[in-house]
Amino acid sequence: MAIVNDIIAAHSGGEPVEAGQLVTVNVDKVYVQDGNSPTIAKIFGDNGCNSVFDKDAVGIFFDHSVITPNIAIANRLKEAHAFATQLGVQVFPQGAGISHVVALENGWFGPGEIVMGSDSHTCTGGAVQSLALGMGASDIAAAMMTGEAWLKVPDTVWLNIKGRPLSVTKAKDVVLHVLATLGQEDFLYRSVEWMGPWVSELSLDSAATVASLGVELGAKCVFLPDGAGRPDGMRQIKPDAGGRILEVDITDLPPMIAKPHSPSNVVSIDEMYHTEIDYVFVGSCTNSRLEDIADVAHFLTGRKVSDRVHCLVTPGSKAVYLEAVEKGYISALTEAGAVVTPPGCGSCLGTQGSIPADGDRVLSTMNRNFLGRMGNPKAEIYLSSPLVAAHAAVHGRIPSVEDLL
């Protein structure tokens, strides 16, 4: 049975379920981010509710606005804190980190569990085979109140990754290549089970990168196979008899670049060689873990960020930040000329600095490069892995495969 069917069945009475079926499930955990907490609080107020189904299973993360840029957002955060206090739920304060990164670190995602979050990249939990669902405010509020949610069981496709890429090609590059090769149509509102030797060998950090980009594929949820650093209880990924299998060959795949203004507008890095870059951002729930910070710090050690490049690095969590300090990564980044910020979503969403200037070309490790995503529709945002971003920060341009090798 497909993993998503198995999880939903276990949370809805135990009877087998089929794709397309509408079911009510019990949820294990629910979390909210500060940006939509006031909307959810209003739903609670409008329905005369002031409690949740389980205080230990509900959390509010303050990650989208860590350093408040204006009075309106400061007041919104104050409202969110008051709401959390009223409910008595767990609070992850400003500086704790990005909700999805911290949730993975702290065991909020467990194999076989259903976790709902009020942010689309909740799908990150698929790295450890949690049915992790980004949902809208109404669904999140209902789940917080009742511990239940209704779902349409998604169909499942198995994505078989064949071969291995170049040594300088990262997990982010492979997902961008899948988007470029297959598009979104085959994944829309489907559960995607990744498989193949390359996927099975991914570190947990890299697996989280792949899982976080599930929503960019258009998927309802994603599941990655067991591997190093994973919790107990993860299932072997094996297609159902007659199941739909998609194949993508990544043999000798080079790093990829997503051009403005879509994550699916993807080309090989060599097609973008020498494109000048004004601003490099390393961060977001997709590429802000220790492995990502290490890639950038190792390259920047003994080098300098170009005088005409603004290089911003935002660790995904306090734990990542502290370990990066211990390993000397933060010193290396700072000495090279990068600006390191407190953990959080940072520049990814564009509601706080650093916002790019008109005409800036930004090379970012985040997940989306929609027009205006970082707060300025007159800037161009390109997406890459942290390794490629580090090279661009030093040289002021997108490198070639040869440069990376």
Side-chain angles (χ1 to χ4, degrees):
M1 183 186 296
I3 293 177
V4 70
N5 294 52
D6 201 20
I7 295 174
I8 290 176
H11 286 74
S12 60
E15 294 297 320
V17 297
E18 298 181 354
Q21 185 177 343
L22 295 176
V23 296
T24 298
V25 297
N26 297 314
V27 301
D28 294 290
K29 295 182 183 71
V30 186
Y31 65 86
V32 179
Q33 49 96 339
D34 54 296
N36 44 37
S37 177
T39 302
I40 293 168
K42 185 177 186 304
I43 295 172
F44 267 72
D46 290 347
N47 288 276
C49 185
N50 58 9
S51 63
V52 297
F53 80 102
D54 182 348
K55 293 180 181 179
D56 292 331
V58 178
I60 296 182
F61 287 81
F62 290 81
D63 59 359
H64 277 55
S65 298
V66 174
I67 299 176
T68 52
N70 55 53
I71 296 171
I73 290 180
N75 289 336
R76 187 175 70 191
L77 294 187
K78 189 173 183 178
E79 290 177 24
H81 275 288
F83 180 51
T85 300
Q86 171 194 326
L87 297 180
V89 300
Q90 295 190 59
V91 173
F92 297 84
Q94 291 155 269
I98 303 170
S99 58
H100 319 303
V101 177
V102 178
L104 189 58
E105 291 173 347
N106 287 271
W108 271 61
F109 296 124
E113 293 184 345
I114 296 181
V115 180
M116 293 174 55
S118 66
D119 184 275
S120 59
H121 291 100
T122 304
C123 54
T124 302
V128 293
Q129 294 186 5
S130 175
L131 176 50
L133 304 168
M135 307 285 269
S138 297
D139 289 304
I140 291 295
M144 290 169 67
M145 295 174 191
T146 66
E148 296 182 341
W150 69 270
L151 302 172
K152 184 172 81 169
V153 181
D155 197 4
T156 294
V157 295
W158 285 266
L159 180 58
N160 186 25
I161 303 298
K162 302 176 68 175
R164 287 178 174 78
L166 296 177
S167 61
V168 292
T169 300
K170 304 295 182 175
K172 172 78 156 287
D173 301 305
V174 171
V175 183
L176 292 179
H177 177 64
V178 169
L179 261 173
T181 304
L182 298 178
Q184 289 185 319
E185 186 171 351
D186 288 317
F187 302 114
L188 290 176
Y189 205 90
R190 289 184 170 90
S191 172
V192 182
E193 296 190 24
W194 288 73
M195 54 188 287
W198 175 83
V199 183
S200 298
E201 295 166 5
L202 290 176
S203 67
L204 181 56
D205 281 1
S206 290
T209 293
V210 172
S212 76
L213 290 163
V215 67
E216 274 64 51
L217 290 175
K220 179 65 174 176
C221 54
V222 296
F223 298 99
L224 275 80
D226 195 5
R230 312 299 196 276
D232 294 336
M234 291 182 65
R235 282 181 36 173
Q236 180 184 2
I237 288 185
K238 184 178 180 182
D240 289 347
R244 188 178 183 200
I245 302 174
L246 305 174
E247 291 189 344
V248 175
D249 192 339
I250 61 169
T251 301
D252 294 332
L253 181 75
M256 311 299 285
I257 298 286
K259 301 191 297 183
H261 295 284
S262 170
S264 61
N265 188 16
V266 177
V267 296
S268 166
I269 192 172
D270 281 348
E271 293 187 41
M272 301 302 299
Y273 178 51
H274 259 304
T275 300
E276 293 187 350
I277 296 298
D278 305 291
Y279 177 178
V280 166
F281 173 59
V282 177
S284 87
C285 55
T286 296
N287 280 125
S288 64
R289 294 171 180 81
L290 190 67
E291 186 176 273
D292 306 312
I293 305 300
D295 278 348
V296 178
H298 287 153
F299 183 75
L300 289 185
T301 298
R303 297 183 172 92
K304 294 293 182 184
V305 171
S306 169
D307 289 340
R308 63 177 192 79
V309 174
H310 174 48
C311 180
L312 195 75
V313 179
T314 303
S317 72
K318 181 166 66 175
V320 170
Y321 189 95
L322 291 175
E323 191 166 356
V325 169
E326 183 181 339
K327 291 182 178 296
Y329 300 158
I330 301 301
S331 293
L333 295 171
T334 305
E335 289 171 2
V339 177
V340 182
T341 76
C345 296
S347 293
C348 180
L349 64 158
T351 59
Q352 54 187 315
S354 294
I355 294 172
D358 292 353
D360 271 1
R361 286 198 189 102
V362 183
L363 188 62
S364 172
T365 69
M366 61 198 193
N367 34 58
R368 293 174 179 164
N369 59 340
F370 304 143
L371 185 65
R373 171 69 181 179
M374 294 181 72
N376 188 347
K378 294 182 179 179
E380 296 179 354
I381 304 172
Y382 298 76
L383 304 180
S384 77
S385 74
L387 178 62
V388 172
H391 277 254
V394 170
H395 299 294
R397 56 172 173 76
I398 294 177
S400 66
V401 172
E402 185 177 353
D403 291 335
L404 295 172
L405 291 170

